[in-house]
Amino acid sequence: MNLPSSPRAIEVHGLTRRFGRETAVDNLSFHLAPGKITGFLGPNGAGKSTTLRMILGLDTPDAGRALINGRPFHALSRPLREVGALLDAGAVHPGRRARDHLSWLAASNRLPVDRVGHVLDLTGLSSVAGKRVGSFSLGMRQRLGIAAALLGDPAVLLLDEPVNGLDPEGVLWIRALMKSLAAEGRTILVSSHLISEMALTVDHLVVIGRGRLLADTDVTRFLATAGPGASLEDAYMRLTATSVEYRTHLTGRHPQGDLR
């Protein structure tokens, strides 16, 4: 594992991204320290996925920069050794076998071939490694995406909706896995709309709304701002009440959702 020497494993400085007249991410800045699980939260349209894509070099910011271990993603010579990411578990050719998919990724970053077997075991996919991905359930695809993220034994992980499609046993597994990885000194940024799951998993929170930073704090302090007895959901709803794009017709409440 390539642990960062800097206390800032992920740095986001003034990131701005526009799509035509719409500003998806607006002068966003935060940094993440090793050894913590940070929940990345926000209402629909807040810019979470766009931010993740800019950190990973998949989108180019109109202003600002994002660094991983002090360098932009494009400057990483073997990126899988430094950062692992799960953005879209369905982005694997359905005709490819699970083991072949991971083997190709390993070869592309000059990773030891034994890492493939290791991550297949870790994610519970060894028995289906020879099957084509098109036959996988959503939960199995999710596990394969997590296996790919862990392939290079990276110190930094970015996970978008990691529990999506997992059964209750799988949810417990990924929760325990993230905690064990953070305990090893890794930096984990996890984006999710499942506030109840975040309450059981994360140490720190970065909350955005309409592309702007709303909170960057540990969970205990975040809850304290909402008053005695408040849940994470209560505190989140109060903070983001004016940042939601729309309201539900019947209840008038602001819906929760994954933000793009």
Side-chain angles (χ1 to χ4, degrees), residues 186-199:
R186 302 176 203 255
T187 304
I188 302 175
L189 179 62
V190 55
S191 173
S192 179
H193 69 279
L194 298 177
I195 307 299
S196 59
E197 181 58 30
M198 291 295 92

Side-chain angles (χ1 to χ4, degrees), residues 142-154:
Q142 200 75 352
R143 286 176 180 263
L144 181 60
I146 294 167
L150 296 173
L151 191 58
D153 196 22

Side-chain angles (χ1 to χ4, degrees), residues 31-224:
H31 69 267
L32 305 183
K36 292 184 179 180
I37 305 173
T38 297
F40 192 31
L41 306 179
N44 280 339
K48 296 198 314 265
S49 291
T50 300
T51 300
L52 294 178
R53 289 179 60 83
M54 287 191 287
I55 294 172
L56 294 167
L58 298 173
D59 274 356
T60 302
D62 294 295
R65 59 178 183 163
L67 304 176
I68 298 170
N69 297 338
R71 292 174 292 166
F73 185 87
H74 66 76
L76 306 178
S77 59
R78 286 185 282 181
L80 288 183
R81 289 183 178 270
E82 297 197 48
V83 57
L86 170 66
L87 296 187
D88 181 3
V92 180
H93 193 286
R96 183 169 290 169
R97 301 180 193 277
R99 184 182 297 277
D100 292 342
H101 170 64
L102 295 173
S103 296
W104 175 83
L105 288 175
S108 72
N109 277 248
R110 301 192 297 279
L111 299 174
V113 68
D114 61 357
R115 286 295 301 172
V116 173
H118 176 76
V119 296
L120 284 169
D121 288 341
L122 185 63
T123 55
L125 293 176
S126 294
S127 63
V128 295
K131 292 188 176 182
R132 300 187 188 279
V133 177
S135 68
F136 279 15
S137 66
L138 176 58
M140 292 167 66
R141 287 173 183 255
Q142 200 75 352
R143 286 176 180 263
L144 181 60
I146 294 167
L150 296 173
L151 191 58
D153 196 22
V156 176
L157 288 164
L158 279 66
L159 306 174
D160 192 3
E161 301 290 351
V163 302
N164 188 31
L166 296 180
D167 58 17
E169 183 267 339
V171 172
L172 292 174
W173 165 76
I174 188 61
R175 187 190 303 160
L177 176 64
M178 287 192 291
K179 289 183 176 181
S180 68
L181 293 172
E184 294 173 356
R186 302 176 203 255
T187 304
I188 302 175
L189 179 62
V190 55
S191 173
S192 179
H193 69 279
L194 298 177
I195 307 299
S196 59
E197 181 58 30
M198 291 295 92
L200 296 171
T201 306
V202 305
D203 312 298
H204 195 87
L205 290 169
V206 170
V207 185
I208 64 174
R210 299 185 186 273
R212 298 179 180 177
L213 183 69
L214 300 180
D216 180 2
T217 184
D218 64 59
V219 173
T220 301
R221 290 180 182 177
F222 187 71
L223 291 174

